[in-house]
Amino acid sequence: GGREGLLGRGSCQGNSVERKIYIPLNKTAPCVRLLNATHQIGCQSSISGDTGVIHVVEKEEDLNWVLADGPHPPYMILLDGNLFNRRVMLQLKGTSRVSGLAVAIAKPSPPQGFSPGLKCPNDGFGVYSKDYGPQFAHCNKTVWNPVGSGLSYEDFDFPIFLLEDANETQVIKQCYQDHNIPRDGSGPEYPLCAMQLFSHMHAVTSTVTCMRRSSLQSTFSINPEVVCDPLLDYNVWSTLQPINSSGKVDAEKEVVIVATRIDSHSFFWNIAPGAESAVSSFVTHLAAAEALHKASDVHLLQRNIMFTFFQGETFDYIGSSRMVYDMEKDKFPLRLDNIHSFVELNQVALRNDSILWMHTDPVSRMNESVEVQVRKLLDILSNSSVGANVTLQEAGYSQPLPPSSFQRFLRARHIPGVVLTDHRTAFQNRYYQSMYDTPENIRMQYPEGLSPEETLEYVTDTAKSLAEVATVVARALYRLAGGANNTSAIQADPKTVSRMLYGFLIKMNNSWFQSIIKPDIKGILGDVPQHYVAVSSPVNTTYLVQYVLANLTGMVVNLTKEECLNPEKTPSSEKELYEYAWVQGSLEPNSTARVPYCVRSTVRLSKALSPAFELRQWGSTEYSTWTESRWKEIRARIFLVASKELEIITLVVGIAILIFSLLTTYFINAKADVLFSIPRDPGAVAY
C-alpha cells in the first residue's frame, strides 16, 4: 500500500469537471491506526471514504443538532479545538449519526491543558511491576500525566482529520454558512455543503493478527500484501573517547551513560512537535556533549562517557529496550557490566525557580552498594550546580522514577542512576504528547521583524536556561568520569542551544543544518520539524541529531572527498574507532557554491526495532509491540450535495429517457425497410 506520497497531494490532478465539483483540503493531518499486542487504536474511514453534511460545532450546545435534531444525518463535524476532549469524543463515538470529524487547531492552546496521552505513560513496560516495587506500579504513588485523557489510545471507527491551515478552516465555515445553517429551527434547504474523508486502514485487531497475516502472505505470495509495519528507527550514540565499534570494550573499562529520548507523539499522524517532551532535553544533552568535548583533558579521564539518544521511547521504550537487549546478547560494543552509572535528561525546560529535580529508584537503593554509588552521584550533581543558575533537589525516597529509558536498564540490572526533570511529582508539561507541545509551550519568544537568519542566531531566554542545565550536566559528567581539575571552564554555549532549538522546533531548512549534513540527504530538511518515530527509517530527527552531534563533538580532518568516503583506504584513518562524513559546508559569501569538508566523529547509529519483532513474539508483554497500519490513500475534500429527492428525480428522468430512446431505436429499427426504403430510379421508366 502507498504511504507518504499520498498525503500531500489533493485530488487536483483530475479533470476540470472534478475541479469544478470538489475543493480538496491539502493542509490536513489524519489520525491513523496503530496496533499493539492486544488492541487497535486510532481511526479509519470506510473503504471508499466517508461522506457527510458539514455541521460546525463551536460550543457544546451545537452538538444537539448532530446527535438528535438535524434531519440530514450522518454529519461531518467541524469541531473547535477547545471541544476536542474525552467527554465530547465519547459522545460522538457512541452515535451512528456522525460519519467523521475535522478538528480545527485551537489558537491559543487550550488554557486548561490538553494531553491525549495516558495518565501513566508506558505503563507496564518500565521497571515497576508486581515483582518489583509493587507499591509504585501503575502510577499508584504518582500520576505523572494527570491531564492525560487517553484519547490517542481509543479506537474510533470514523475518520478524524486535523485542519492545520486557518484559511482552509475558513473555507469550510463559509461553505457551511452559505448552505447549511438551520433556518428558524427547521432544516436548511438543499444543496448542502458536504465533506468526504478517505483514510481506510488495511490492518485490523492487533499486531499479532496483522503481522501473522503479513508473514503468511510473504511465505506464499509472489507480491505479498503487507498490512502493517513495526515502528522502528535508529538510536544515535557516541563516546567521549573513541572505542572500537566492531569489537567489545574491555570488561574492566567503565562507562558513564547519558541518555535522552528524541521522539514524541500526538493524536494525529506525524504531528509531534514535542518541544518539552523531547526537544528541550535532547538539545540540552547535545549542548552538554559539546561542552565536554571542548574540555582540555577529556582524553585522560579514567572512565569513558557515552552520549545516547533513544528513538521510539514514546511507544513503550522501543530504542532503550533494544539497546539493553543487544548489550545482553553481546551485539553491542558495550556490555551492561561496563556501565558505571546512568544520567538521564527528561523534560527540563519548564523549571520552577530554576529547580531541577533528581529522581532515583527507591527499590534498588535498598541495596547497600547501590545506595553508596547513588549517594555519590547525587552529591556530584549537587556540587556541580554551585555558581550556576540551577538548583538541584532530590525528589526523595517516597517517589518512584518517572517514565524514563533508565527504567529499561534497571530491569536488566541494578545500575546507579538518576533522572533529571523539571517536575517533582506530576509533569509541568500540560501538553504532553500533543500537538500543542510547541515552542510557545517552552516559552520561546523572538522579537518582531527578524529575518530567518537573525532568528536562527537570536539567543532566547529558553536557550540561556537550557544552556545552564547543560553546563551543570557536563560538569557533573566530568567529575563522574574521574576528572579532578577545576570545572569552571566547562561551559555550554547558549548560541548553539539557540540554533538547535530553532532547527528542531521552528524550521529545519536553515543555513546551519544545511551546512552540517551530507549532500545526498539534503532532501530531509522539511519545514516544521516533527518527531514521530514512524516506520520508514531513519527519520529526519535521527539524521539531524546524528549530524548535529557529529558537528558539535567531531573534528574537521584534512581529507579529500574520496578519502573521506572510503576511509578504509587511508591507513591512518582508524576506521574502527571513527566515522567519517563528507558534509555540504556553508555557502561562500555572494555565491551559490558550498565549501564541503570531512568530519571525523565517534557518532554511530544502532537499530531501534523492538526485540519482539526479532524474536517474532508479536504478543510480547515484555517488549514494545507497536505497529502502524498501511493505507492506500489519505485525502479530504468538500463539495455541494443535492437533496435525495432531486437525485431520485434526476435518476428517474434519466431512466425514462433511456427507455424512451431504446424503444424509439427499436421501432425505427423494425420499420427500417419502410422508413429507409430505396426509391426507384426515376430514369428507368418502362415504356
Side-chain angles (χ1 to χ4, degrees):
R3 193 163 216 101
E4 283 76 13
L6 292 152
L7 277 170
R9 304 202 310 254
S11 46
C12 311
Q13 313 97 315
N15 53 23
S16 57
V17 176
E18 182 168 12
R19 277 207 299 277
K20 286 190 175 111
I21 300 175
Y22 297 108
I23 302 175
L25 303 171
N26 296 327
K27 287 257 170 43
T28 60
C31 153
V32 304
R33 176 171 288 170
L34 299 176
L35 309 101
N36 69 5
T38 49
H39 289 74
Q40 58 179 31
I41 62 169
C43 329
Q44 76 156 349
S45 74
S46 59
I47 196 154
S48 53
D50 285 322
T51 308
V53 173
I54 296 170
H55 191 74
V56 175
V57 175
E58 286 174 331
K59 43 191 192 303
E60 289 218 22
E61 299 79 84
D62 301 343
L63 279 172
N64 297 341
W65 184 261
V66 174
L67 298 173
D69 309 341
H72 310 117
Y75 284 95
M76 274 281 172
I77 298 178
L78 174 58
L79 189 68
D80 184 83
N82 290 301
L83 290 177
F84 183 56
N85 57 38
R86 189 173 180 90
R87 192 176 68 251
V88 171
M89 292 306 292
L90 290 184
Q91 272 179 287
L92 301 181
K93 195 176 166 175
T95 172
S96 56
R97 289 175 57 96
V98 174
S99 62
L101 198 58
V103 180
I105 203 158
K107 289 246 190 306
S109 305
Q112 69 282 7
F114 171 75
S115 168
L118 299 168
K119 285 187 173 13
C120 191
N122 291 2
D123 184 23
F125 289 86
V127 71
Y128 303 109
S129 64
K130 60 182 195 306
D131 311 316
Y132 187 100
Q135 68 275 30
F136 302 125
H138 313 306
C139 295
N140 278 349
K141 197 82 189 172
T142 310
V143 176
W144 296 109
N145 186 24
V147 254
S149 63
L151 264 186
S152 286
Y153 296 86
E154 289 287 328
D155 182 35
F156 295 97
D157 56 357
F158 52 78
I160 303 178
F161 277 60
L162 176 69
L163 300 170
E164 297 178 80
D165 184 357
N167 297 347
E168 287 193 345
T169 310
Q170 209 35 59
V171 167
I172 301 174
K173 283 189 175 165
Q174 197 53 53
C175 189
Y176 165 80
Q177 279 154 3
D178 295 348
H179 300 278
N180 295 10
I181 288 190
R183 309 258 176 259
D184 323 316
S186 67
E189 298 295 308
Y190 280 101
L192 295 172
C193 195
M195 184 173 349
Q196 189 171 23
L197 302 179
F198 297 86
S199 64
H200 182 65
M201 299 287 142
H202 294 176
V204 292
T205 317
S206 69
T207 290
V208 180
T209 308
C210 76
M211 288 300 289
R212 198 173 53 219
R213 191 165 293 174
S214 299
S215 85
L216 273 172
Q217 285 262 359
S218 49
T219 321
F220 296 116
S221 165
I222 298 166
N223 46 352
E225 168 126 338
V226 176
V227 290
C228 66
D229 305 278
L231 295 180
L232 80 161
D233 209 83
Y234 290 91
N235 299 324
V236 182
W237 65 279
S238 80
T239 50
L240 192 57
Q241 303 156 351
I243 59 171
N244 185 340
S245 61
S246 47
K248 291 278 172 288
V249 172
D250 291 341
E252 57 277 1
K253 182 72 179 161
E254 292 184 317
V255 180
V256 179
I257 292 189
V258 207
T260 39
R261 65 173 58 188
I262 55 173
D263 71 305
S264 187
H265 177 46
S266 80
F267 188 87
F268 299 98
W269 186 76
N270 209 21
I271 300 287
E276 160 76 329
S277 65
V279 178
S280 69
S281 54
F282 76 69
V283 160
T284 308
H285 184 170
L286 287 162
E290 180 190 33
L292 270 171
H293 270 270
K294 281 190 176 146
S296 52
D297 58 337
V298 286
H299 53 286
L300 304 171
L301 294 174
Q302 63 187 75
R303 297 186 189 99
N304 206 344
I305 297 175
M306 173 170 158
F307 305 102
T308 322
F309 299 83
F310 291 119
Q311 186 57 281
E313 295 298 276
T314 308
F315 295 97
D316 303 336
Y317 307 120
I318 294 173
S320 51
S321 64
R322 178 53 185 261
M323 188 173 280
V324 172
Y325 174 82
D326 285 346
M327 285 178 174
E328 289 175 321
K329 296 275 179 285
D330 266 356
K331 291 180 180 166
F332 196 79
L334 292 186
R335 298 185 184 84
L336 288 165
D337 303 345
N338 295 118
I339 302 174
H340 168 264
S341 49
F342 199 104
V343 177
E344 178 167 356
L345 284 162
N346 227 330
Q347 321 188 61
V348 290
L350 299 174
R351 308 200 303 286
N352 274 346
D353 307 328
S354 73
I355 295 176
L356 201 56
W357 294 95
M358 303 186 286
H359 298 263
T360 51
D361 169 42
V363 185
S364 59
R365 283 178 73 177
M366 306 269 191
N367 175 330
E368 195 61 36
S369 63
V370 175
E371 168 62 30
V372 172
Q373 287 179 286
V374 171
R375 209 39 288 153
K376 207 192 268 167
L377 178 57
L378 295 172
D379 292 342
I380 287 177
L381 274 159
S382 301
N383 296 340
S384 302
S385 67
V386 175
N389 189 8
V390 179
T391 317
L392 283 142
Q393 295 198 6
E394 292 177 40
Y397 268 110
S398 57
Q399 282 269 99
L401 285 168
S404 50
S405 313
F406 177 42
Q407 292 198 27
R408 290 302 304 195
F409 284 80
L410 270 182
R411 276 178 79 134
R413 95 179 22 201
H414 287 187
I415 296 166
V418 62
V419 178
L420 303 175
T421 71
D422 55 21
H423 55 89
R424 181 177 186 174
T425 53
F427 294 162
Q428 295 278 5
N429 185 2
R430 301 198 317 278
Y431 304 111
Y432 184 73
Q433 284 177 19
S434 86
M435 54 199 173
Y436 303 115
D437 192 359
T438 55
E440 292 78 48
N441 186 30
I442 58 170
R443 312 189 185 122
M444 272 172 72
Q445 280 159 341
Y446 293 98
E448 293 289 307
L450 293 185
S451 70
E453 211 45 46
E454 289 163 342
T455 321
L456 174 68
E457 299 296 341
Y458 181 81
V459 180
T460 57
D461 292 344
T462 308
K464 287 179 193 149
S465 92
L466 290 178
E468 280 160 359
V469 176
T471 299
V472 172
V473 171
R475 289 176 182 176
L477 290 170
Y478 174 80
R479 284 269 177 268
L480 273 173
N485 292 349
N486 186 348
T487 55
S488 59
I490 298 179
Q491 195 79 42
D493 180 6
K495 255 199 146 35
T496 314
V497 178
S498 296
R499 287 173 167 191
M500 290 193 281
L501 288 172
Y502 180 76
F504 285 113
L505 286 172
I506 295 171
K507 192 164 188 270
M508 277 188 174
N509 200 1
N510 61 66
S511 59
W512 184 49
F513 277 5
Q514 286 163 9
S515 70
I516 63 173
I517 62 169
K518 290 181 174 177
D520 54 337
I521 58 164
K522 60 175 184 276
I524 67 166
L525 295 177
D527 204 22
V528 181
Q530 305 296 351
H531 307 290
Y532 168 63
V533 49
V535 294
S536 54
S537 62
V539 291
N540 308 0
T541 314
T542 309
Y543 272 133
L544 288 168
V545 168
Q546 180 189 1
Y547 286 105
V548 168
L549 185 57
N551 177 277
L552 299 180
T553 63
M555 202 174 135
V556 176
V557 285
N558 190 6
L559 293 178
T560 63
K561 184 174 181 181
E562 273 55 53
E563 292 170 325
C564 192
L565 295 174
N566 307 301
E568 60 279 352
K569 293 184 182 156
T570 317
S572 62
S573 72
E574 302 177 285
K575 180 79 181 77
E576 290 77 44
L577 299 183
Y578 297 105
E579 291 287 313
Y580 291 83
W582 184 254
V583 301
Q584 292 202 100
S586 40
L587 289 167
E588 289 183 42
N590 311 330
S591 89
T592 53
R594 292 182 176 276
V595 191
Y597 55 93
C598 189
V599 175
R600 182 187 81 180
S601 70
T602 58
V603 181
R604 301 193 162 85
L605 298 182
S606 72
K607 247 199 190 139
L609 165 65
S610 167
F613 297 100
E614 292 281 295
L615 302 163
R616 294 173 73 92
Q617 295 173 358
W618 300 318
S620 172
T621 52
E622 187 181 354
Y623 297 115
S624 166
T625 52
W626 287 105
T627 51
E628 182 186 272
S629 169
R630 293 231 178 159
W631 57 77
K632 189 164 150 287
E633 63 167 353
I634 281 185
R635 59 196 174 101
R637 56 192 190 178
I638 61 174
F639 56 95
L640 289 181
V641 50
S643 72
K644 280 274 176 284
E645 289 77 28
L646 182 59
E647 286 178 348
I648 289 167
I649 292 167
T650 314
L651 182 68
V652 169
V653 170
I655 291 171
I657 292 173
L658 177 70
I659 292 169
F660 177 71
S661 60
L662 286 173
L663 289 171
T664 317
T665 316
Y666 173 75
F667 282 119
I668 291 175
N669 211 13
K671 300 269 184 281
D673 50 337
V674 180
L675 294 170
F676 306 116
S677 59
I678 300 158
R680 287 203 197 91
D681 188 348
V685 180
Y687 292 107

